[in-house]
Structure formats: C-alpha cells, structure tokens
Amino acid sequence: MLFFNRALGIDFRTTRLVLILLEKSLGRVKVLSHATYELPPEEEKDEREARVIGAINEFMVKNHIRKERVFVSIPREKVMARFIKLPGATRENLRKVIEYEIPKYTPFKSHEVYFDYVLLKEERDWLILYSVFIKRSEIDSTLSLLKRIGIRPVAIQTPSISALNLFLWNKKPEREEFSVLIEVNEPFFEINLLRGENWQENYHLTLSENHWFPEVQKIIRLSREEPLSEEKLNFYLYGMDKETRRKYGIKEGEGQIFFPPIHKIRNEKDSDSIWVHYSSIGLPLGGLIKTQVHLNLLPLEMREKKRKVGRVLLLM
C-alpha cells in the first residue's frame, strides 16, 4: 500500500456519522479536522442518505480533501465476529475453508455475506483467526451511497480494528500485561482483551449504566481458563466525553481505568475529542503508517491488493 500525507475516515455509526481527516508529519499524526453528524433512523432511508451525502460533501469541500484515500467503518452491531481455530493444514487455502464453513459460523449462506479474517497465531497444528462476517446487502448499499459522491474506499473495517491499530501504534504492552480496551458507544460496549500484543477476546454487548465496570471485570475473569491477577489488568476507556464520564463517575487512574496512550497523535484544537473519537481516529491510520492488524470487508475485486493468507498479528 502506498502511504500519503493525508487520509480520510468515514465512520458510520447507527445514530451518527463521524468524519476524521488525518495528516502525517515528522513521525506523528495530526487530527486536521473532525465532525460528527447526527443521523435520522435507518427506517428513514431517503433522509438518512441525503444527510450522509450532504455531510461528506460539506466536509470534503471545507477541507479540500481528495477522494482516493478514504477508509470506511461499519457499525459493530451489523457484523458477526468470531475467533476461529482451524487445522494448520488449511493455511494455504484459508479463505476457501472459511467461505465453505460460513453456515457454521453465521445464520447465512456463503453467497449472502462478505467476510475477512486476521491470522492471529500459529500453534503446532492449529491456526487461530479472528473473522468478521457481514451481509452483502449492508456493504453493497454503503458502496452504492459512496459511489454517488465519487468515493471508492480503500478499505472497510470495524471499530475494533481501528482501535487496536491506534492502541498498538502508541503502546507496546509487556508480554504478560493484559490490556482491556473498552469503547462506550451507548447503549453498546465493545470490549477487547489483549495479552501483550496478542488479541484474545472480543465482546459487543449492552451493560447496565450503574454497574458496567464490575460487569466488564467479571466477563474478563470468566473468559479466562487461568486466573488473572488484578495488578496485571489495565482497562483503557474511550468513546466518552467529559459529561458522560462525570455521569458514570469515572476518573482516570481510579480502579485501574486509564485513557489509551495517544502520544503520537496531535489535536491542538480539542484534545478531549481524541478520547471520544478514539476508534474513528484509528480508522484512516492505515493510509499513513504501517498498521499491525489488517482486515478489509471490501469485496475482493475492489481491493488494491489480493492476499493469499491473513497477516500474522503476533506469534506467541
């Protein structure tokens, strides 16, 4: 992939649209501009599409943005994500094997979905993958909408991938350190667990407002075969603005809760927006730097490069 000085992220959420323009300079990335637009319900299709088209055109004209370096994110609630374990002998034909087993992992038939995967780990006789599946109609409608603006995206991914890439670019966790990334996207919480740089768990669920943190702690403990010591667990929270953090009574550094590291990101105008739009900022990052996690839900024929196997995130 060729890297440019600027890249645009178009982050579709269920109730809003987030647009992020990044620029690379001197080993860091600067947030040049960002905007959030509230969207009509999906049932009001015409109004929603008109709002999306108007917002993107307005943002691109205002910031003099070219259309060839655009990255898109799909709402997490629209995809099905699975950690999959396959025999090592399938490595040379992974895509075909996963495609054949789509009815096993989803309620859909193979021809009804687009999918992609990340090869996370190779064991003696096994491969550990993270795979994402989405109905073709969801991607096709998004591509059709963007085509009306003259945009052909470089990649389509999910908020998890964006956040992981931004986190791992700014921090190299110790091998035995457990990092829990928590995105608050009311009413949903997305939780990712890493051991060192090794991605191990992903959850997308609703939690109670008053007791969400104890519930997250319980989920993490129950997901592990071996007990976790509290001192090795660090919780990194994002997606909340100051008002929402006050509402939940959250202060950085209390109860092992931290904001994710962002020392390589600059946003001089509004530093708090980095925490609010953390995963959105990670979306166009792949157009500016070499990121660790590669997943693309764009149809194969539209991709810049076709790959034979997934990229290994980390070999343990």
Side-chain angles (χ1 to χ4, degrees):
M1 177 185 291
L2 294 175
F3 298 113
F4 292 74
N5 289 333
R6 291 187 176 189
L8 171 66
I10 301 177
D11 189 0
F12 287 96
R13 299 297 175 117
T14 302
T15 60
R16 67 189 188 280
L17 177 72
V18 182
L19 302 177
I20 298 280
L21 178 63
L22 301 183
E23 180 179 67
K24 183 181 178 182
S25 176
L26 301 175
R28 294 192 177 189
V29 168
K30 181 178 181 181
V31 180
L32 283 183
S33 184
H34 66 87
T36 300
Y37 301 85
E38 298 301 318
L39 296 178
E42 292 187 337
E43 295 77 17
E44 300 174 14
K45 183 179 178 182
D46 291 343
E47 289 90 349
R48 187 180 176 94
E49 290 186 351
R51 178 63 169 159
V52 168
I53 291 173
I56 296 174
N57 278 329
E58 176 186 48
F59 190 81
M60 296 188 81
V61 170
K62 178 183 176 181
N63 293 284
H64 310 287
I65 300 172
R66 299 170 66 180
K67 297 180 179 180
E68 68 271 13
R69 196 86 330 216
V70 179
F71 295 77
V72 174
S73 185
I74 295 293
R76 174 61 174 83
E77 48 269 32
K78 291 187 178 294
V79 308
M80 300 187 70
R82 299 281 185 270
F83 283 87
I84 298 172
K85 188 174 184 178
L86 291 174
T90 64
R91 195 183 197 284
E92 296 304 316
N93 206 21
L94 270 177
R95 180 164 288 278
K96 286 292 183 183
V97 172
I98 298 171
E99 183 177 10
Y100 180 77
E101 295 200 337
I102 283 175
K104 175 181 174 181
Y105 305 128
T106 77
F108 309 114
K109 297 179 180 179
S110 298
H111 68 272
E112 295 179 305
V113 303
Y114 291 122
F115 73 94
D116 201 18
Y117 60 91
V118 181
L119 178 56
L120 298 176
K121 184 177 179 182
E122 293 187 69
E123 298 176 342
R124 289 182 183 178
D125 300 314
W126 297 96
L127 305 174
I128 309 299
L129 303 92
Y130 176 78
S131 297
V132 174
F133 307 87
I134 184 168
K135 291 188 70 175
R136 289 188 175 223
S137 57
E138 295 286 353
I139 296 293
D140 291 342
S141 63
T142 299
L143 290 173
S144 176
L145 179 60
L146 294 174
K147 187 176 181 180
R148 291 162 61 182
I149 316 173
I151 292 176
R152 178 178 172 136
V154 175
I156 299 178
Q157 56 196 45
T158 64
S160 292
I161 302 298
S162 304
L164 280 171
N165 279 327
L166 184 55
F167 180 77
L168 292 171
W169 185 52
N170 281 272
K171 179 177 174 62
K172 299 298 179 187
E174 297 294 329
R175 184 180 178 85
E176 296 304 315
E177 176 185 352
F178 287 89
S179 303
V180 184
L181 276 63
I182 307 169
E183 176 170 22
V184 181
N185 180 30
E186 293 183 304
F188 299 108
F189 287 72
E190 176 137 32
I191 305 164
N192 289 287
L193 172 67
L194 292 87
R195 182 176 186 175
E197 296 181 31
N198 185 24
W199 189 13
Q200 295 192 333
E201 300 289 349
N202 170 255
Y203 302 98
H204 182 259
L205 63 169
T206 56
L207 299 172
S208 63
E209 286 189 8
N210 297 327
H211 305 288
W212 67 270
F213 187 57
E215 289 181 35
V216 170
Q217 291 175 305
K218 183 179 179 180
I219 289 168
I220 294 302
R221 291 194 193 97
L222 292 176
S223 71
R224 310 299 304 160
E225 293 180 2
E226 73 278 8
L228 285 177
S229 59
E230 288 295 329
E231 63 269 15
K232 288 186 178 180
L233 272 172
N234 291 315
F235 296 86
Y236 296 96
L237 185 69
Y238 54 96
M240 287 181 171
D241 57 19
K242 290 179 180 178
E243 182 179 343
T244 308
R245 292 198 296 271
R246 282 196 296 268
K247 169 182 150 184
Y248 284 115
I250 294 170
K251 293 182 180 179
E252 185 181 13
E254 291 187 0
Q256 298 167 286
I257 296 179
F258 305 94
F259 298 148
I262 52 165
H263 60 277
K264 294 183 180 180
I265 297 291
R266 290 188 299 141
N267 187 9
E268 293 141 4
K269 295 180 181 178
D270 182 8
S271 59
D272 191 62
S273 69
I274 294 180
W275 314 122
V276 179
H277 303 308
Y278 186 80
S279 60
S280 301
I281 292 170
L283 173 58
L285 200 61
L288 304 176
I289 67 165
K290 186 177 181 180
T291 52
Q292 288 201 46
V293 191
H294 295 266
L295 186 142
N296 191 352
L297 291 168
L298 201 64
L300 286 174
E301 64 273 12
M302 292 185 65
R303 300 187 193 181
E304 290 184 339
K305 288 185 179 180
K306 297 180 181 179
R307 62 181 184 175
K308 293 182 179 179
V309 296
R311 175 182 172 88
V312 178
L313 174 60
L314 182 67
L315 301 181
M316 295 293 288

